[in-house]
Amino acid sequence: MGSTVAGVISEVTVEQRRQIDHIIESFDGTPGRLIPVLHETQKVLGFLPPEIQEYIAIRLNIPITDVHGVVTFYSLFSEKPKGKFCIGVCKGTACYVKKSQKILEKLEELLGIRGGDTTDDGKYSIEVLRCLGSCGLGPVMTINEKVYTRVKTDRIKEIIREHEEWEANKDECS
Ligand code: FES
């Protein structure tokens, strides 16, 4: 097929375009390739805008509704760019046992979005994460690169507020 990502979405950089085309080609003929292609593409762009979903559907020769269905079904995938504060909740086994689902639900309630989504003002995203290697300290939550351990649902609001202050001070000092 002669089409390239450049003809579908103009905002991606030349290097990103090259990487996405390479990803699609590297999974050529692989059964069940849709999810890995989406996953690798999201690593390149940080999210999966509708135009890219359409491009992937064309290149993989599958209906756009199938691609969109997968993107919206799995909280791993996001259709919007990540927010300024990307809040991750570990759903690895140890954290799950320590009720990380409650942390996720509380965050969803506080921010008014679901896991994998971003607030309309672009300030917050919620990400569902796999094991972060701090299983003994679960449930584990992250905000950008910072890790918070033994998180309690009634502390979440405070943790977010403290983190925002910390980042603001960090920016002022740098
Ligand atoms: S399961 Fe959450 S850090 Fe390992």
Side-chain angles (χ1 to χ4, degrees), residues 148-159:
Y148 294 88
T149 56
R150 297 198 173 105
V151 175
K152 296 200 169 19
T153 48
D154 57 3
R155 275 264 302 140
I156 292 175
K157 209 170 173 177
E158 211 178 327
I159 290 171

Side-chain angles (χ1 to χ4, degrees), residues 73-99:
F73 181 78
Y74 291 102
S75 57
L76 167 74
F77 298 126
S78 174
E79 295 188 276
K80 293 186 196 168
K82 281 185 190 153
K84 180 177 179 198
F85 298 103
C86 187
I87 305 173
V89 179
C90 178
K91 290 279 291 289
T93 308
C95 285
Y96 188 82
V97 168
K98 289 175 187 163
K99 306 208 178 339

Side-chain angles (χ1 to χ4, degrees), residues 56-77:
I56 289 171
I58 292 167
R59 289 292 310 269
L60 300 187
N61 199 24
I62 54 179
I64 177 65
T65 47
D66 286 10
V67 176
H68 190 247
V70 167
V71 170
T72 51
F73 181 78
Y74 291 102
S75 57
L76 167 74
F77 298 126

Side-chain angles (χ1 to χ4, degrees), residues 113-125:
I113 54 172
R114 295 197 55 217
D117 213 346
T118 300
T119 54
D120 287 338
D121 62 4
K123 191 166 180 185
Y124 304 103
S125 297

Side-chain angles (χ1 to χ4, degrees), residues 2-166:
S3 60
T4 68
V5 71
V8 177
I9 182 164
S10 54
E11 299 95 88
V12 297
T13 65
V14 171
E15 176 57 18
Q16 286 171 331
R17 289 172 201 170
R18 194 192 60 73
Q19 288 178 39
I20 293 167
D21 281 328
H22 176 71
I23 289 164
I24 292 168
E25 282 149 24
S26 69
F27 284 100
D28 191 28
T30 308
R33 61 195 163 151
L34 176 58
I35 288 179
V37 165
L38 290 172
H39 193 227
E40 293 302 314
T41 302
Q42 182 165 277
K43 279 193 202 165
V44 173
L45 295 176
F47 68 116
L48 295 165
E51 297 87 347
I52 285 294
Q53 293 176 41
E54 193 183 333
Y55 179 70
I56 289 171
I58 292 167
R59 289 292 310 269
L60 300 187
N61 199 24
I62 54 179
I64 177 65
T65 47
D66 286 10
V67 176
H68 190 247
V70 167
V71 170
T72 51
F73 181 78
Y74 291 102
S75 57
L76 167 74
F77 298 126
S78 174
E79 295 188 276
K80 293 186 196 168
K82 281 185 190 153
K84 180 177 179 198
F85 298 103
C86 187
I87 305 173
V89 179
C90 178
K91 290 279 291 289
T93 308
C95 285
Y96 188 82
V97 168
K98 289 175 187 163
K99 306 208 178 339
S100 61
Q101 180 63 27
K102 295 273 176 220
I103 305 289
L104 178 62
E105 285 167 10
K106 185 68 185 178
L107 265 174
E108 290 176 335
E109 181 195 318
L110 282 172
L111 302 177
I113 54 172
R114 295 197 55 217
D117 213 346
T118 300
T119 54
D120 287 338
D121 62 4
K123 191 166 180 185
Y124 304 103
S125 297
I126 302 177
E127 267 194 321
V128 177
L129 306 172
R130 310 257 168 191
C131 179
L132 295 162
S134 304
C135 312
L137 302 172
V140 174
M141 180 177 120
T142 60
I143 305 183
N144 297 343
E145 279 82 44
K146 205 162 177 187
V147 178
Y148 294 88
T149 56
R150 297 198 173 105
V151 175
K152 296 200 169 19
T153 48
D154 57 3
R155 275 264 302 140
I156 292 175
K157 209 170 173 177
E158 211 178 327
I159 290 171
I160 295 171
R161 186 183 53 75
E162 286 173 3
H163 185 93
E164 287 183 25
E165 284 175 12
W166 175 76

